[in-house]
């Protein structure tokens, strides 16, 4: 028996019979849905309600991402990526300290480089990332509307717009924010392929995944999500030739990175970085993501996404399989990978938001409440309006649960604690600028770790070395130069300043104590200190030193 199906059909096997049933794939209506009892579509202001709501969501998203954007200076990763962009642009202030080719591909840094041609630029880089974050919100709306409905797309966009996880990361010059935009567009292309079964969309999926990998190479794990979806969804047509063509498109796009490295004579840099990644020691416990990511995404959002998979299980289709596969790929990989970062699971934010929006817009009303509405209103349409009111109230509650911590995060400039990837470093910019203005040109600085060294080099334009950088090439980032014998350097006056910071000291008490020994041995004198507001044992507000600069001499 042979079956033919159009490009808008999917095959489902009836569990109760051996027959095969063909169903047309549901697609969102091109315009407003008809009103009750077949009335004409709403006109006037209702015609513009959905576009106006989307503009409002985008405006809210932009506001949260640019509010007090310059309150803190760069953290270490931001300094590196911005420094690379400046070196690409030929900025003489950064070229000596930040080589063009370091660890990651250069797509995002290349996009930033026109803004870093002269002077010190940091806010503009964050603004570019914030705009790309808003573009991600709009992409989530397109994806949700394509998968389910415009209502689901709008609610999903709203959740991502105010989600603390996405807000915090897209306020920083990190690769993850732009990468998630391209990852969401990859997912959109895959959905279009499933619905239309056109080769063009399959190839576009491969090419867009290549662009995503060019932004950050670890996004290759999303290919596992695509493979899992195709393996679990046999009704999706995927001829071998078409798959090979999509794979070729992905490789052609991504290969621009290793080819450019080879042409520049820096292939060894990429190889060294790969070796270092494979042998890095764990930097967090296995429970790190469970402790940090669900609360950053929003506990109510995660609960709605999981609950919706259960209470809407009778309506499950390939859409849920796709979204769950896309979430599972990075979650499983980075949970098993020893090295963990706060922003690594950000690609899962968009599908989680869409699943949550699907659940919230289709929230089933308990039977008792439904009967109460029916008795009170006495009409089906009134009951429907009451149900919509309840759903809107729940959506508002979930949105508020995200908005409050996001607003707190964007207003919290001074904090004595720091989590890599979660924001800027208090006092780092000010300490670097102090060194630039008050130390002789050509001075060399010893810091506790490479993170502060990157910040000092970016803002202070002074060569810096991290004490904790291992001389073993398997135990250090190949971009960092080790200092095997700092005693010798200090004794010969090749190091003039030492910088202690509380953030690095909190991660390594051993190197903090070793740095203090060197400071005492070589007559360290405090010349500058950066403080943040803190509290003492009585709860009174006191200044807490977070960065101390010492001048040393033999």
């Amino acid at each position: 028996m042979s079956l033919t199906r159009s490009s808008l059909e999917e095959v489902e096997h009836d569990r109760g019979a051996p027959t095969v049933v063909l169903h047309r794939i549901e697609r969102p209506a091109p315009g407003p849905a008809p009103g009750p009892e077949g009335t004409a579509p709403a006109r006037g202001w209702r015609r513009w309600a959905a576009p106006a709501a989307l503009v409002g969501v985008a405006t809210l998203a932009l506001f949260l991402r640019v509010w007090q954007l310059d309150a803190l200076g760069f953290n270490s990763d931001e300094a590196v990526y911005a420094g690379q962009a400046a070196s690409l642009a030929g900025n003489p202030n950064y070229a000596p300290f930040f080589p063009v080719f370091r660890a990651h591909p250069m797509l995002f840094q290349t996009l930033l480089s026109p803004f870093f041609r002269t002077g010190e630029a940091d806010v503009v880089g964050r603004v570019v990332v914030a705009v790309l974050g808003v573009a991600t919100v709009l992409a989530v709306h397109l994806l949700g509307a394509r998968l389910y409905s415009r209502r689901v797309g709008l609610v999903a966009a709203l959740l991502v717009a105010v989600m603390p996880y996405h807000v915090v990361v897209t306020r920083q010059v990190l690769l993850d924010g732009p990468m998630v935009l391209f990852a969401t567009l990859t997912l959109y292309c895959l959905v279009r392929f499933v619905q239309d079964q056109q080769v063009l969309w399959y190839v576009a999926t491969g090419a867009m995944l290549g662009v995503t990998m060019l932004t950050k190479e670890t996004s290759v794990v999303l290919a596992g999500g695509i493979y899992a979806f195709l393996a679990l969804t046999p009704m999706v047509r995927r001829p071998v030739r078409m798959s090979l063509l999509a794979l070729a498109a992905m490789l052609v796009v991504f290969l621009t990175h290793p080819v450019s490295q080879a042409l520049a004579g820096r292939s060894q840099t990429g190889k060294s970085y790969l070796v270092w990644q494979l042998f890095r020691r764990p930097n967090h416990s296995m429970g790190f993501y469970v402790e940090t990511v669900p609360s950053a995404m929003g506990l109510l959002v995660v609960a709605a996404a999981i609950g919706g998979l259960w209470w809407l299980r009778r309506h499950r289709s390939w859409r849920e399989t796709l979204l769950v596969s896309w979430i599972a790929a990075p979650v499983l990989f980075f949970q098993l990978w020893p090295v963990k970062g706060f922003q690594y699971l950000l690609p899962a934010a968009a599908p989680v938001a869409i699943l949550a929006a699907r659940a919230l817009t289709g929230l089933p009303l308990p039977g008792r409440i439904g009967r109460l509405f029916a008795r009170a209103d006495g009409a089906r349409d009134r009951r429907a309006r009451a149900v919509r009111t309840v759903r809107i109230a729940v959506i508002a509650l979930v949105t508020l649960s995200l908005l409050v911590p996001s607003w707190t995060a964007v207003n919290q400039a001074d904090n004595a604690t720091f989590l890599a990837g979660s924001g800027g470093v208090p006092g780092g910019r000010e300490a670097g600028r102090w060194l630039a203005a008050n130390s002789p040109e050509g001075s060399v600085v010893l810091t506790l770790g490479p993170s502060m060294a990157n910040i000092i080099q970016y803002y202070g334009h002074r060569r810096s070395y991290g004490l904790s950088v291992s001389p073993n090439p398997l135990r250090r980032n190949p971009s960092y130069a080790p200092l095997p014998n700092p005693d010798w350097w200090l004794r010969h006056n090749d190091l003039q300043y030492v910088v202690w910071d509380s953030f690095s000291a909190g991660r390594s008490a051993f190197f903090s104590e070793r740095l203090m020994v060197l400071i005492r041995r070589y007559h360290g004198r405090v010349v500058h200190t950066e403080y943040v507001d803190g509290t003492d044992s009585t709860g009174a507000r006191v200044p807490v030193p977070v960065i101390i600069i010492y001048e040393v001499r033999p």
Side-chain angles (χ1 to χ4, degrees), residues 70-302:
D70 195 32
L72 293 177
F74 282 164
N75 58 42
S76 175
D77 288 342
E78 289 184 282
V80 168
Y81 301 139
Q84 282 183 283
S87 296
L88 275 169
N91 190 324
N93 294 328
Y94 300 99
F97 308 107
F98 296 96
V100 171
F101 291 99
R102 287 173 72 105
H104 299 288
M106 300 296 299
L107 176 61
F108 175 59
Q109 295 90 319
T110 303
L111 294 176
L112 282 185
S113 60
F115 304 99
F116 287 79
R117 291 178 179 175
T118 58
E120 177 190 291
D122 49 5
V123 178
V124 65
R126 286 177 170 173
V127 170
V128 171
V129 177
V131 171
L132 294 178
V134 176
T136 304
V137 172
L138 299 177
V140 169
H141 172 263
L142 289 177
L143 180 59
R146 171 61 59 171
L147 279 170
Y148 296 105
S149 68
R150 291 180 179 177
R151 184 179 301 171
V152 171
L154 184 62
V155 174
L158 176 62
L159 296 179
V160 175
V162 299
M163 182 182 291
Y165 197 22
H166 195 261
V167 169
V168 169
V169 175
T170 52
R171 288 171 56 90
Q172 305 172 65
V173 184
L174 299 176
L175 304 182
D176 304 85
M179 181 265 288
V180 170
L181 170 61
F182 298 127
T184 305
L185 294 176
T186 302
L187 189 55
Y188 177 82
C189 292
L190 182 58
V191 171
R192 291 298 301 267
F193 164 69
V194 174
Q195 292 180 337
D196 299 341
Q197 292 290 288
Q198 294 180 2
V199 177
L200 177 63
W201 286 112
Y202 203 19
V203 175
T205 301
M208 189 55 66
L209 181 59
V211 173
T212 307
M213 293 163 55
L214 270 183
T215 309
K216 190 171 185 179
E217 76 286 352
T218 54
S219 58
V220 67
V221 302
L222 297 176
I226 297 176
Y227 176 82
F229 165 69
L230 295 176
L232 296 172
T233 319
M235 71 280 295
V236 177
R237 185 171 63 92
R238 49 190 186 282
V240 175
R241 292 182 181 179
M242 190 186 302
S243 299
L244 292 177
L245 192 60
L247 181 62
M250 180 192 73
L251 292 176
V252 167
V253 173
F254 179 72
L255 284 177
T256 56
H257 171 56
V259 169
S260 62
Q261 278 192 329
L263 293 177
R266 298 301 299 270
S267 296
Q268 187 59 38
T269 300
K271 296 177 182 177
S272 300
Y273 180 74
L274 177 61
V275 171
W276 172 65
Q277 287 282 44
L278 293 175
F279 289 93
R280 284 183 68 180
R281 296 175 181 175
N283 58 344
H284 290 287
S285 66
M286 290 294 289
F288 173 76
Y289 289 127
V290 175
E291 297 168 359
T292 58
V293 173
S295 58
M297 284 189 179
L299 296 178
L300 293 181
V301 172
V302 175

